[in-house]
Amino acid sequence: MTSSPPVKAFDWPNLGLRVISATILIPIVVVAVWTGGWLFLLMTAIAVALLANEWGQLCASRASARMAIVIAAAVLAPTFYAHWGYFTDAAIALSVGTVVAALAALALKERAGDCAYGVFYIGFPVLALTWLRTTPQGLTWTIALFAVTWSADIVAYAVGNVVKGPKLWPKFSPNKTWSGFVGGLVGAVVAAVAVAVLSKLKISIGAAAAVGLVGGLATMTGDLWESILKRRYGVKDSGDLIPGHGGLLDRVDGLMFAAVIVAGARLIAFIGFPF
């Protein structure tokens, strides 16, 4: 009779690294989001450059640096358009950027589809985030987005490590559990409701809970999607920029999906759909 595998202990060292990283990064993000304007643009542009570099390393094995530059330029152009309020032009520029990235990849004998996808994968959430920050009560909505994303991620990690239980999708992400998934959703809902109440966001408590729920689902979907992508490219992490997390893409994968979903919820509220 074979014995059961030992129960994995709580990963305290990794948690410590995550806490240290969060202590450094969260204040920077909060100040940039709160201030808005050029500081928010600067934070976004730096993030785009770092994400493009990581994506270039993933999708282009022979010319990663050159593809990273192309991808960064293809995303930065629409980012600046969006910052100036030209969102239609930003969308057009993003579409053109995907084509340019594909053509550049073909010229460099890299995977055109993967490189083009990187432009859309990074760029679309950036445009959604930028638009969200510019709307009425945009600061509060953007804070809610980050609160939902961070809460979903932190609570899912903590509950999953403590409660453990059945795996969520072991084929692609062997460390994620159903307990963590449910805990993350609860954390996201609580965060959204707390922000709505404390900031007097002009939506109902039920609507805030719904935003938290779909935002939490988007966060964990983005995290799982990133796991699938890393499995496709045969890597454990997208990079080693952030201790305890890996690359920046590992840190913001959930935020990228959640930004699009929360921006969609904001658009629904913005056009007057009854929440």
Side-chain angles (χ1 to χ4, degrees), residues 137 139-145 147-148 188-212:
Q137 286 198 302
L139 173 60
T140 304
W141 276 90
T142 307
I143 290 173
L145 165 65
V148 164
V189 170
V190 171
V193 171
V195 171
V197 171
L198 294 174
S199 65
K200 298 181 181 179
L201 195 62
K202 294 178 182 177
I203 59 174
S204 67
I205 298 300
V211 170

Side-chain angles (χ1 to χ4, degrees), residues 23-45:
T23 302
I24 296 172
L25 292 174
I26 288 177
I28 296 174
V29 173
V30 170
V31 169
V33 168
W34 191 277
T35 305
W38 69 267
L39 192 58
F40 183 74
L41 175 63
L42 178 63
M43 180 194 72
T44 305

Side-chain angles (χ1 to χ4, degrees), residues 197-243:
V197 171
L198 294 174
S199 65
K200 298 181 181 179
L201 195 62
K202 294 178 182 177
I203 59 174
S204 67
I205 298 300
V211 170
L213 180 62
V214 296
L217 282 169
T219 298
M220 285 178 279
T221 300
D223 195 18
L224 285 171
W225 180 242
E226 175 68 9
S227 296
I228 294 172
L229 290 175
K230 288 187 291 188
R231 180 64 62 90
R232 168 183 169 82
Y233 295 117
V235 297
K236 180 180 181 297
D237 296 313
S238 65
D240 56 3
L241 178 68
I242 307 173

Side-chain angles (χ1 to χ4, degrees), residues 13-89:
N14 185 263
L15 177 62
L17 287 173
R18 284 171 172 252
V19 170
I20 294 171
S21 299
T23 302
I24 296 172
L25 292 174
I26 288 177
I28 296 174
V29 173
V30 170
V31 169
V33 168
W34 191 277
T35 305
W38 69 267
L39 192 58
F40 183 74
L41 175 63
L42 178 63
M43 180 194 72
T44 305
I46 292 172
V48 166
L50 294 172
L51 291 171
N53 180 61
E54 291 180 5
W55 190 261
Q57 293 178 11
L58 288 176
C59 73
S61 59
R62 293 180 293 273
S64 58
R66 283 177 286 178
M67 277 312 309
I69 292 171
V70 172
I71 293 169
V75 178
L76 284 173
T79 299
F80 278 88
Y81 274 123
H83 175 73
W84 294 324
Y86 302 114
F87 289 100
T88 301
D89 294 330

Side-chain angles (χ1 to χ4, degrees), residues 106-202:
L106 288 173
L108 294 170
K109 295 181 170 52
E110 297 288 1
R111 290 176 285 196
D114 292 36
C115 295
Y117 174 71
V119 175
F120 178 81
Y121 183 45
I122 298 169
F124 191 48
V126 167
L127 298 190
L129 176 62
T130 303
W131 176 84
L132 184 68
R133 181 61 181 84
T134 63
T135 61
Q137 286 198 302
L139 173 60
T140 304
W141 276 90
T142 307
I143 290 173
L145 165 65
F146 280 96
V148 164
T149 303
W150 288 339
S151 296
D153 184 55
I154 293 168
V155 177
Y157 179 82
V159 172
N161 272 275
V162 172
V163 179
K164 304 187 190 306
K167 300 297 183 180
L168 179 62
W169 200 354
K171 179 180 178 181
F172 292 109
S173 189
N175 294 325
K176 292 181 176 59
T177 62
W178 278 103
S179 63
F181 177 77
V182 174
L185 290 182
V186 172
V189 170
V190 171
V193 171
V195 171
V197 171
L198 294 174
S199 65
K200 298 181 181 179
L201 195 62
K202 294 178 182 177

